Amino acid sequence: MADAESTVALSIGSQRISMAVFDPAKSGGLILKSYGSQSILADPSQEMMRLPQITLAVKELATALKVQKEKVRYSMSGQSVFTRFMKLPALQEDNIEELVKFEAQQHVPFPIEEVIWDWAMLDSTGPEKEVALVAIKRDALTEINATVAEAGIGTREVDAAPMALYNAFRYNYPEEDAPILLMDVGAKATNLVYIEGTRLFTRSIAVGAASVTTAIAKEYNISFAEAESQKITNGVVSLGGRHTNQLDEATAQLATVIRNSLNRLPAEVARTNSYYRSQQEGNMPTKVFLAGGGADLPYLPDFLEEKLRVPIELFNPLQRISIGKAIDVERLGKEAHMVGELVGLALRGVDQTPIRIDLVPDVVASQRATAERKPFLIAAAVIVMAGFAAWAMNKSVLAAEAEGMAEKLGATKIELAEPGGKIDQQSGRQSDLQDLADAYAGQQESRVKWIKVLGKVKDYFNDQDVWITDFEAMGLYKAGDDKSGEARAGQNFAKAPYGTSVLQDLKDSGAPAPSTRGSRRKKEPAILKPPQESINVIRLTGFWKGEEPTAVSKIVGKIRDDQGKEDAVFVLKKNPADPNSKNLADEEILPLLNSSITDKNKLAEQFVMILPLKNPISIK
């Protein structure tokens, strides 16, 4: 477990969770004692799976670093917070708090009771006061804090990622006075931190490494996960014709797709540079420091240097940090540019941060209020105990008996202390293991959704005049287009041996295998086109009989009536994810439905029904 004076720092990104334990150094600096990180898949279509992944990753990191039940400092991404830099008239310090509160109500684009906010005073050269205001939606902070608590750790402070990066930069580059732009390229967004000496300005732009993955998935019609794998394995940023000509055909094509998807990034940076100069009276950056997981993309620094026309350098937040003996130095060296937030958070523990923002979740605020009242409660308890003592003095005989009993109980307590401690230790270990097992079980349970789907189908088709002859699970279905969609079970599914992979299926069918960096000399494409690994509709084929030609339509009517309920499985709308989108027409749900039996030799007529799933089911 971490020492009492240690700082446990946690960075929660869209695609990467990292944690570190820092000890204070005798010189006033920091020692990195232990460090770990895990990646999660930031698939935009699987956003509901992100919080369980975060909980599991945090729990595993806390176990590996032996900081279970510790209180941590963690940061919120720049994309999730609202930041505003305001200039206030020259006032006495006592009046600034009230003025900032008034300005917060004017500038925060939400009702003030729906947000949690904090502010920090900035250095100012003029008579005016300048402050940084940071706010976050209350429910968003509560949600992520509950996720951290579910992993078995508590919250000490919550910072904003751009502010943590600023503090880390100021500590590690104290002599840097030129205008600097610190670019933190994350999965979903890029934080821009402008630094001029002690001056600060930040902005978050919605372009990140996930934009590249999405572009690859769209270009090659593959899943987000496969596109992410191709980006990591074969991805480089094209630097133009001469550079592309040196690559094999498949890699060059992929590099061009990546470059095109990144063109918006330097354009947004240039636009923000202009805003910083004109509205914030700042100077054009003379150097860019690159940070974040997105900086790992080969040739990205060269691409940005070409576009922005300023020198690019990787950010090193560990320049003035001592490294403990237990750290894997080689791994840390590769990930150093990604630990800036952790360093900025840890510096708060040794009071080395010029900007201090604390976004306090409601549950933490309640705990702090209780802690503040604790001295008064103790004083009241002392008064009560003094009263009892006075009463006891008048009852000397009872006091003597109580003293004798206390000695006996004390001796018994000492005898039981050792076995009791062992029991507590084992109970704590059992609790930790149970929590970890529950997290794994929760992850696995979220994959098993078919029972609910089949149960709903059974309920809706409980009609003696209607029966089903074929049940197809399909993906890539587009609402209203009954020709779209691909079956998720192949023709040889029933005969395929258990565990057969997609790659083996492709191999058996003669499709090329995916290339790696070591096979770039080959001419076969580097990108495969396996089917999307999710199911978004169920297609049912069946018959209706008897004298009730509207039996099938009545079933559709029942499904329409239920689609707004919380336990609904099917949503008959153009966009199942949007409850306000238009309803699908009957002919879009029933591309085949004969309304009467025209052939006297027939006992029944066929129908085909397409039912979009409210929540697509992953089959990965």
Side-chain angles (χ1 to χ4, degrees):
M1 183 171 288
D3 297 333
E5 67 273 13
S6 297
T7 290
V8 183
L10 171 64
S11 173
I12 304 174
S14 296
Q15 203 161 355
R16 186 172 181 274
I17 312 297
S18 57
M19 181 183 288
V21 180
F22 294 85
D23 284 346
K26 294 181 179 179
S27 60
L30 289 171
I31 302 172
L32 179 57
K33 182 179 178 181
S34 55
Y35 166 76
S37 65
Q38 287 200 15
S39 296
I40 60 177
L41 188 60
D43 188 344
S45 66
Q46 301 291 332
E47 184 63 24
M48 66 178 181
M49 294 297 296
R50 182 169 176 265
L51 291 180
Q53 289 185 68
I54 291 175
T55 299
L56 186 58
V58 173
K59 184 183 290 288
E60 291 181 347
L61 287 172
T63 301
L65 272 57
K66 300 179 181 180
V67 294
Q68 304 98 321
K69 297 183 173 64
E70 288 289 324
K71 288 190 175 182
V72 305
R73 292 181 169 95
Y74 66 88
S75 57
M76 298 299 297
S77 68
Q79 186 183 20
S80 61
V81 299
F82 170 83
T83 306
R84 179 61 58 90
F85 296 87
M86 304 180 302
K87 290 186 178 181
L88 307 177
L91 295 173
Q92 294 182 355
E93 296 292 332
D94 296 340
N95 299 323
I96 292 181
E97 180 80 32
E98 289 298 321
L99 182 56
V100 171
K101 184 175 181 180
F102 173 79
E103 291 293 335
Q105 294 174 335
Q106 308 303 313
H107 289 94
V108 175
F110 310 104
I112 199 67
E113 64 274 6
E114 294 182 7
V115 301
I116 293 174
W117 61 279
D118 194 17
W119 64 280
M121 185 77 71
L122 304 177
D123 290 340
S124 178
T125 56
E128 294 179 316
K129 304 287 186 180
E130 188 170 1
V131 299
L133 174 69
V134 181
I136 184 172
K137 291 293 291 292
R138 185 180 299 273
D139 55 356
L141 180 57
T142 299
E143 184 178 52
I144 199 69
N145 192 69
T147 300
V148 172
E150 189 177 346
I153 57 179
T155 299
R156 178 173 292 178
E157 290 178 317
V158 181
D159 201 350
M163 307 305 174
L165 287 170
Y166 171 79
N167 288 330
F169 185 89
R170 285 283 304 276
Y171 180 79
N172 284 281
Y173 297 83
E175 305 300 327
E176 190 69 70
D177 292 326
I180 296 298
L181 171 58
L182 177 57
M183 286 182 61
D184 179 36
V185 185
K188 291 188 176 181
T190 297
N191 292 322
L192 304 180
V193 184
Y194 292 83
I195 305 170
E196 289 190 59
T198 60
R199 189 173 184 180
L200 166 68
F201 176 75
T202 71
R203 173 167 284 187
S204 180
I205 56 178
V207 183
S211 302
V212 176
T213 307
T214 301
I216 295 172
K218 183 177 180 181
E219 176 70 19
Y220 293 97
N221 194 27
I222 58 178
S223 68
F224 187 92
E226 176 66 14
E228 180 71 15
S229 175
Q230 289 293 340
K231 181 183 74 174
I232 295 173
T233 305
N234 300 316
V236 298
V237 184
S238 171
L239 299 180
R242 181 176 299 178
H243 174 255
T244 305
N245 291 338
Q246 298 175 359
L247 306 174
D248 63 78
E249 182 179 351
T251 304
Q253 182 183 1
L254 179 61
T256 302
V257 172
I258 293 175
R259 179 186 177 91
N260 293 338
S261 68
L262 284 172
N263 280 331
R264 186 182 162 205
L265 179 59
E268 289 292 336
V269 173
R271 186 178 294 109
T272 306
N273 286 346
S274 299
Y275 176 85
Y276 176 61
R277 294 179 62 192
S278 61
Q279 301 298 320
Q280 300 295 320
E281 300 177 356
N283 295 305
M284 182 68 71
T286 58
K287 184 188 294 186
V288 173
F289 285 86
L290 205 56
D296 285 339
L297 194 60
Y299 299 116
L300 178 62
D302 307 79
F303 169 76
L304 292 174
E305 191 168 283
E306 169 196 331
K307 291 289 186 179
L308 299 176
R309 301 183 183 277
V310 291
I312 304 289
E313 180 179 326
L314 280 181
F315 177 42
N316 181 10
L318 301 173
Q319 288 190 146
R320 299 179 59 195
I321 307 297
S322 301
I323 307 301
K325 297 180 180 179
I327 298 294
D328 184 344
V329 178
E330 183 177 355
R331 177 192 175 189
L332 183 63
K334 296 177 181 178
E335 300 183 4
H337 58 284
M338 294 186 276
V339 301
E341 291 179 33
L342 297 177
V343 173
L345 291 166
L347 288 168
R348 299 181 68 149
V350 292
D351 199 22
Q352 294 281 349
T353 53
I355 302 295
R356 199 175 186 95
I357 294 293
D358 189 10
L359 302 169
V360 187
D362 290 334
V363 64
V364 178
S366 177
Q367 293 169 355
R368 291 182 182 178
T370 301
E372 290 177 358
R373 293 194 298 268
K374 191 173 181 179
F376 300 100
L377 296 175
I378 293 175
V382 170
I383 293 173
V384 173
M385 291 175 66
F388 278 111
W391 175 82
M393 290 178 65
N394 295 326
K395 303 292 182 179
S396 57
V397 175
L398 295 176
E401 293 179 355
E403 184 178 354
M405 183 63 70
E407 290 179 358
K408 293 180 180 180
L409 292 175
T412 303
K413 180 179 179 181
I414 293 174
E415 292 177 2
L416 297 177
E418 183 176 354
K422 293 180 180 179
I423 292 173
D424 291 341
Q425 183 179 9
Q426 292 300 321
S427 297
R429 184 171 181 270
Q430 181 180 0
S431 177
D432 291 339
L433 292 174
Q434 184 63 46
D435 290 344
L436 189 58
D438 290 344
Y440 278 112
Q443 282 289 91
Q444 191 65 22
E445 183 180 357
S446 66
R447 301 169 181 259
V448 184
K449 302 178 181 178
W450 280 110
I451 293 177
K452 185 176 181 180
V453 174
L454 295 174
K456 286 291 185 181
V457 172
K458 176 185 175 182
D459 292 342
Y460 288 131
F461 284 84
N462 186 16
D463 191 320
Q464 63 180 0
D465 293 326
V466 180
W467 72 95
I468 299 172
T469 61
D470 194 12
F471 181 101
E472 290 185 276
M474 305 179 65
L476 293 178
Y477 172 78
K478 297 179 181 178
D481 182 4
D482 61 284
K483 302 297 183 183
S484 64
E486 292 183 4
R488 284 294 172 259
Q491 295 297 323
N492 62 342
F493 174 76
K495 300 178 181 179
Y498 177 77
T500 302
S501 67
V502 173
L503 293 179
Q504 183 62 44
D505 291 342
L506 291 169
K507 179 179 179 181
D508 294 342
S509 64
S515 68
T516 63
R517 291 186 182 273
S519 60
R520 289 184 177 176
R521 296 180 182 179
K522 299 180 180 180
K523 296 300 182 179
E524 54 268 28
I527 305 297
L528 293 177
K529 297 184 178 180
Q532 297 281 344
E533 297 182 348
S534 64
I535 297 166
N536 66 340
V537 297
I538 302 300
R539 183 165 67 185
L540 305 174
T541 303
F543 290 89
W544 64 269
K545 70 177 183 64
E547 299 179 356
E548 186 52 61
T550 61
V552 177
S553 299
K554 287 182 178 179
I555 292 175
V556 174
K558 292 179 184 177
I559 298 175
R560 285 194 195 278
D561 294 340
D562 292 346
Q563 64 182 344
K565 297 181 180 179
E566 185 176 351
D567 63 342
V569 170
F570 305 111
V571 178
L572 309 184
K573 291 183 175 290
K574 297 286 187 181
N575 180 5
D578 182 6
N580 297 319
S581 65
K582 293 182 179 180
N583 287 324
L584 292 170
D586 285 353
E587 56 269 19
E588 293 174 318
I589 303 168
L590 296 166
L592 175 60
L593 175 63
N594 295 325
S595 59
S596 62
I597 302 176
T598 56
D599 190 342
K600 295 181 179 180
N601 295 321
K602 287 186 176 180
L603 297 177
E605 280 290 354
Q606 192 178 38
F607 71 89
V608 174
M609 184 183 299
I610 299 177
L611 299 177
L613 291 171
K614 180 179 181 180
N615 297 311
I617 298 177
S618 173
I619 59 173
K620 185 172 181 181

